[in-house]
Amino acid sequence: NSARLQVDCGDGVCAVYAARGAYDVLVLDAFDDGAQVSACVTEDFYRAAAHALKPGGVLVANYFGHDRRYPTYLKRLARAFDGRVLSLDAREDGNVIALAFQNGPDHVAWQSLREVAAGLSARLDIDFDQMVSGLRRRNRYTRRDLCIVQGGEA
């Protein structure tokens, strides 16, 4: 823990249901014996997660992309977050990262994303440019913008 980061350890499901507007970011990486934890993939849980976030907050969830139930999980997530969900292939192993936004814009300009990615890449030595490119593979977009609200999935 530090002034900028506080890590809470404990029963994450209970913490999410108990919290209201408490978190900037929730990270969900819940697996048990090679499967998603069932309590963490319900629409009710995702709604509780949306309520647990502060305005502008984001849920970052890791899924097995090859899980036949993954599309169902993503649809539940989109319904709970009013369609404000993006997904991105993880670098390796078939996992998919979903980003669910508590609120925010309906779209963002590719140029803005590329500028932010370039700055982060230079500062952190992580290939954020590749991540921006990867957003095109799993999300709706136009030539100019990435669509944050994914029509048809909610």
Side-chain angles (χ1 to χ4, degrees), residues 86-89 99 108 110 113 130-141 146:
L86 296 175
S87 58
L88 177 67
D89 291 322
L99 306 168
V108 63
W110 288 113
L113 284 172
Q130 180 183 6
M131 291 180 200
V132 169
S133 297
L135 288 168
R136 289 180 185 262
R137 284 192 286 278
R138 290 191 170 267
N139 304 286
R140 287 182 54 237
Y141 64 91
L146 171 65

Side-chain angles (χ1 to χ4, degrees), residues 68-121:
R68 64 181 171 75
R69 295 164 297 192
Y70 164 71
T72 300
Y73 303 154
L74 196 62
K75 286 177 185 175
R76 291 174 185 167
L77 186 64
R79 283 192 298 265
F81 281 83
D82 297 325
R84 293 181 186 288
V85 174
L86 296 175
S87 58
L88 177 67
D89 291 322
R91 288 176 41 162
E92 299 173 11
D93 72 17
N95 284 17
V96 177
I97 304 301
L99 306 168
F101 302 93
Q102 204 267 356
N103 57 10
D106 290 348
H107 54 85
V108 63
W110 288 113
Q111 184 61 34
S112 292
L113 284 172
R114 286 195 277 291
E115 288 170 5
V116 170
L120 288 171
S121 294

Side-chain angles (χ1 to χ4, degrees), residues 45-60:
F45 176 80
Y46 294 143
R47 279 197 180 98
H51 292 294
L53 290 167
K54 292 178 182 177
V58 62
L59 169 69
V60 181

Side-chain angles (χ1 to χ4, degrees), residues 1-19:
N1 289 335
S2 71
R4 294 184 61 203
L5 176 69
Q6 179 179 336
V7 177
D8 294 329
C9 295
D11 185 329
V13 173
C14 289
V16 165
Y17 278 102

